[in-house]
Amino acid sequence: MQIPYTVEARPDTGLYNAKLGIWLFLASEVMLFGALFSSYVLLRTGDPGFMTMSHEVAEAMHLEGHAHSWSDVLSVPLAFVNTLVLIFSSVTIVMSWASLRLKEFGKFKLWMGLTILCAFGFMGIKAIEYSAKFSHHLYPETSNFLGIYFTLTGLHGLHVVGGLIVLVYLWGPGSKMWKSESQRFINRVETVGLYWHFVDLVWIFLFPTLYLL
Amino acid sequence: MSGHSADEIRGEIRRYWIIGLALFLLTIITVTVSYLDVTPGMAVVIALLIACLKAGLVAGVFMHLISEKQAVYALLLLTAIFFGALMILPIGTRASQIPL
């Protein structure tokens, strides 16, 4: 069976089907993360004690002073590095797509490989962050703030892992398509690129709202 | 997008690196501003303005929304309306708690 409009654009939408499909998927993702952001804003603005850390936890964390915010337990330097890693990966993935359009398959492999390394790096740093929380007995049930922190960053992390699986496939066995159906392969890389940029976009909002404010 | 000439694609590549650099700088500015002594309200406004600017650069250039087809714009307009409604929910909830 021939799948229609994998390469050429549909006359009515002007897009190949996978591109329309990924945009529909991303629209649903906006609503998913939007609902969680909305919940976070509601909790943070509605509960005056939402960000206030209990005295016992502050002591256990060896934090000096009187009043502490839950965001004090989050590592800004690690999240800052992770933001730069994700931004760099957005550049490398768009470079891998551009390399294919220039018919430079070797460079595609290089840029896509770097994107994969960035994804592993991001998850590695996230694992360090999470393990630091767990070692201090800070879990989602510890407070509402940590509950929403683990939910938002955990869901985002799952999206990184999901994207990583597709990136590895396109870098490895999936790249065989380049020889048989090059334009279709370029479209696949563009489609996963759109998804990857969205993952970066979500983090752009998560970083300041959770770590800095 | 794929029908572009090699020179046009190389021009796009230069733009990608410039935008990447701008995103790096905006991230540094976001962190720097968070350490400044400003009111909490002002801190939220600055952080969200920079985040929106960064998101605009990613969506506009990396996701090529500056030159997309009408179908994508129509889809995103609908998404933006529902996303806006989601963001208004907390504000509406707060407003309903204010005694008149």
Side-chain angles (χ1 to χ4, degrees):
Chain A
M1 189 185 80
Q2 183 76 25
I3 301 172
Y5 305 112
T6 54
V7 173
E8 75 278 19
R10 262 180 75 114
D12 50 359
T13 61
L15 305 162
Y16 58 90
N17 276 354
K19 194 165 180 177
L20 181 64
I22 196 72
W23 274 115
L24 280 167
F25 174 68
L26 294 183
S28 74
E29 291 281 274
V30 168
M31 300 314 289
L32 172 65
F33 280 100
L36 286 167
F37 263 113
S38 179
S39 307
Y40 174 54
V41 175
L42 182 66
L43 285 167
R44 186 152 178 179
T45 57
D47 176 9
F50 181 69
M51 294 301 289
T52 313
M53 188 192 291
S54 63
H55 187 64
E56 295 78 30
V57 175
E59 267 191 353
M61 296 285 296
H62 307 294
L63 294 172
E64 292 175 3
H66 295 292
H68 288 286
S69 165
W70 279 113
S71 57
D72 292 345
V73 302
L74 306 183
S75 172
V76 173
L78 285 180
F80 171 68
V81 172
N82 249 354
T83 307
L84 298 185
V85 167
L86 220 47
I87 288 170
F88 183 64
S89 76
S90 258
V91 177
T92 56
I93 200 163
V94 84
M95 286 298 296
S96 72
W97 178 62
S99 301
L100 284 180
R101 291 164 67 211
L102 288 168
K103 314 263 183 273
E104 294 173 342
F105 186 70
K107 282 190 178 173
F108 155 76
K109 281 275 194 177
L110 172 73
W111 291 118
M112 188 58 98
L114 277 174
T115 311
I116 291 166
L117 282 178
C118 286
F120 274 114
F122 182 90
M123 290 312 293
I125 292 172
K126 189 76 9 221
I128 294 168
E129 258 194 277
Y130 272 25
S131 61
K133 306 285 166 296
F134 298 152
S135 68
H136 287 101
H137 305 289
L138 297 173
Y139 302 107
E141 76 260 24
T142 308
S143 75
N144 282 337
F145 173 78
L146 286 176
I148 207 131
Y149 160 79
F150 279 111
T151 305
L152 277 166
T153 56
L155 187 67
H156 179 264
L158 281 176
H159 279 74
V160 173
V161 172
L164 182 54
I165 293 166
V166 179
L167 294 178
V168 169
Y169 172 74
L170 289 178
W171 183 80
S175 67
K176 286 176 189 162
M177 183 183 267
W178 174 248
K179 285 182 180 167
S180 55
E181 296 175 88
S182 60
Q183 187 54 49
R184 191 175 173 191
F185 184 64
I186 292 172
N187 289 351
R188 282 190 171 184
V189 173
E190 182 183 21
T191 308
V192 76
L194 287 172
Y195 170 83
W196 195 254
H197 297 311
F198 176 78
V199 171
D200 183 18
L201 237 156
V202 171
W203 184 256
I204 282 172
F205 285 99
L206 283 184
F207 174 53
T209 51
L210 288 176
Y211 291 82
L212 302 178
L213 295 176
Chain B
M1 298 291 283
S2 296
H4 292 181
S5 70
D7 282 342
E8 283 174 317
I9 296 169
R10 289 197 178 91
E12 284 177 31
I13 288 173
R14 272 193 295 278
R15 196 186 310 150
Y16 295 146
W17 283 108
I18 291 166
I19 296 300
L21 186 66
L23 291 168
F24 265 61
L25 292 175
L26 285 168
T27 304
I28 292 167
I29 292 169
T30 307
V31 176
T32 308
V33 167
S34 74
Y35 288 107
L36 296 179
D37 191 21
V38 292
T39 61
M42 187 55 75
V44 171
V45 169
I46 294 170
L48 289 183
L49 274 178
I50 298 173
C52 287
L53 179 59
K54 287 168 73 181
L57 290 174
V58 171
V61 180
F62 289 161
M63 299 172 90
H64 355 113
L65 276 183
I66 44 173
S67 56
E68 241 332 325
K69 297 285 185 290
Q70 287 291 326
V72 175
Y73 292 141
L75 176 68
L76 289 180
L77 176 66
L78 200 63
T79 310
I81 291 168
F82 281 101
F83 181 79
L86 269 178
M87 290 301 120
I88 287 169
L89 275 176
I91 300 166
T93 308
R94 293 284 293 151
S96 69
Q97 292 168 350
I98 299 168
L100 297 172

